[in-house]
Amino acid sequence: MAKAKKITAALTAALLCTASLTSCSDTSYVMTVGDSKINAGIYIYNELTEMSYQMTMMYYQKGIKKDYFDQKVDGKAFDEYLSDYALTATKEYAAVVDKFNELGLTLSDEDIKSINNSISSTWDSQGEFYESEGISKESVKLALKGSKMREELFDYYYAEGGEEAVSDDEMVKYLDDNYLRYKSISFAKTKASTDSSSSATDSSTDSADAANEEAKAKRDEFLEKAQGVSFDDFDSIIDEYNDYVASKKAKDSSSAADSDSSASDSSTASDDTSSVAESDTSSTASDDTSSVSDSTAESSSASDSDSSTDSSSSEPDPYANEKMMNYGAMDDSQKDTTNGKILKEVSGMSTDVATAYEDDNAYYILIKGDIKGRDTEYAKDKHEDLLKEMKSDEFQKKLTSWVEKLDIKVNNKAIKRYTPKVVYDKQTKYYSKNN
């Protein structure tokens, strides 16, 4: 009898141990919030989304195409950054859902329909990939619903009629205190080409110096024309500049065609010395060699402008040539960039005075406009964007406080299983197999 009791006790202990191990090794959830479990798929989705974004930024900003995990983001090793980001984002997801329900808010039928359509489209194209990462369709749906809930909570506090709504006067004051309004023309600098030893040759340096002197002279020529011209009327200088660029481009194309024709003629009629002479004349009759690249830069600036022309309207956009930039919100590292330094120059300028500026990339003409001449209209046109700029940090503090109030217990076994490197390796394996 005693022996039977011992066997029964041993079996019971073994079963309890097995049950305990099963519970502790369950990695289908990444954390608990009270009695609720948060799917691990939401954590992996956050990790994967941020990983893709950061790798894209590494490529466009630094040309990095591999060795991502040797890089740092915000002073942290890439894998550490991603783990921290995904954990924080998942906690915030839980806090958003909790606060959304606490306030009795609901997503509209239109919101739900939009989310379902997005899920359907995503799953048709990438469902197999997500499943290979351990992300279910339901997890993606929950993540997207969480994002929409976050937007609704922001509006609950700060949009028109909200608990802490931002008035039109507050928004205009924000613009006046932080934004710069300006127009610019740039003349790109030419860099000396290098030889196989990566050092600039003397002839290349001389050529670059000559081109830059010419670019600077052309900039000064336009600057002289801009003296006494107001910010509004500076558009006429930009129009003249664009005409100059177009003319230069046409001239260069014509010269290149003449040169090609001359080379062809000389190969078939070596005694035709006039062809050589004409070719030499065309190649030396150069103007501002930087103007073609400038044209691209200026076109980009126009497309990046905060204003866009309505294609259905015949009215020209009065703000097509100007930029509105939030200089006040820039931190020190942003102010130390090329664009940040230009804005610093603009911030110290008087309005309606065309001013010369230069950096390693180009020679510029800058002119500053009066922000108050446009603040009310801009605040109306860009209301939602400005609202986010003004209140995102404040809303983030609210969100952080909501997280701190929750009873969150992290499932560390899931965190250790779904590391950024594991997620990345699965992605690489999937695309290698399917490509």
Side-chain angles (χ1 to χ4, degrees), residues 185-189 215 218-219 222 241 244 288 290 294 362-363:
I185 294 175
S186 65
F187 299 79
K189 288 185 176 180
K218 184 60 68 174
R219 187 277 308 272
F222 274 88
Y241 166 82
Y244 155 73
D288 177 14
S290 65
D294 290 339
Y363 301 98

Side-chain angles (χ1 to χ4, degrees), residues 291-308:
S291 61
V292 175
S293 57
D294 290 339
S295 177
T296 303
E298 290 303 312
S299 296
S300 175
S301 297
S303 64
D304 291 342
S305 173
D306 52 86
S307 303
S308 59

Side-chain angles (χ1 to χ4, degrees), residues 150-337:
R150 184 170 179 152
E151 292 176 13
E152 293 295 318
L153 280 170
F154 184 89
D155 288 345
Y156 173 85
Y157 287 101
Y158 305 116
E160 184 178 357
E163 292 287 311
E164 302 168 33
V166 177
S167 69
D168 293 340
D169 288 344
E170 287 177 302
M171 191 166 284
V172 168
K173 185 177 186 306
Y174 177 81
L175 278 169
D176 293 345
D177 290 345
N178 293 280
Y179 269 66
L180 293 175
R181 182 186 182 195
Y182 76 102
K183 297 174 183 176
S184 67
I185 294 175
S186 65
F187 299 79
K189 288 185 176 180
T190 300
K191 289 181 170 54
S193 58
T194 58
D195 58 18
S196 58
S197 64
S198 297
S199 60
T201 61
D202 290 341
S203 61
S204 174
T205 299
D206 290 343
S207 177
D209 287 345
N212 288 334
E213 283 296 319
E214 193 169 2
K216 183 175 182 295
K218 184 60 68 174
R219 187 277 308 272
D220 292 344
E221 178 185 323
F222 274 88
L223 180 63
E224 181 64 28
K225 295 177 181 181
Q227 296 308 302
V229 175
S230 69
F231 179 78
D232 289 341
D233 292 339
F234 190 75
D235 285 348
S236 64
I237 304 297
I238 293 177
D239 289 341
E240 186 175 346
Y241 166 82
N242 288 334
D243 289 342
Y244 155 73
V245 169
S247 175
K248 176 63 176 67
K249 187 174 182 180
K251 183 177 180 181
D252 287 348
S253 297
S254 177
S255 297
D258 289 345
S259 179
D260 290 343
S261 176
S262 297
S264 176
D265 289 345
S266 62
S267 67
T268 57
S270 58
D271 60 340
D272 184 3
T273 56
S274 64
S275 297
V276 177
E278 289 168 3
S279 176
D280 290 343
T281 302
S282 298
S283 64
T284 57
S286 62
D287 200 350
D288 177 14
T289 57
S290 65
S291 61
V292 175
S293 57
D294 290 339
S295 177
T296 303
E298 290 303 312
S299 296
S300 175
S301 297
S303 64
D304 291 342
S305 173
D306 52 86
S307 303
S308 59
T309 303
D310 184 354
S311 60
S312 64
S313 173
S314 59
E315 290 296 321
D317 179 7
Y319 306 119
N321 292 321
E322 70 179 66
K323 283 184 174 292
M324 295 275 284
M325 302 295 291
N326 191 346
Y327 180 64
M330 285 186 167
D331 58 29
D332 289 342
S333 63
Q334 291 171 321
K335 289 180 179 179
D336 197 41
T337 63

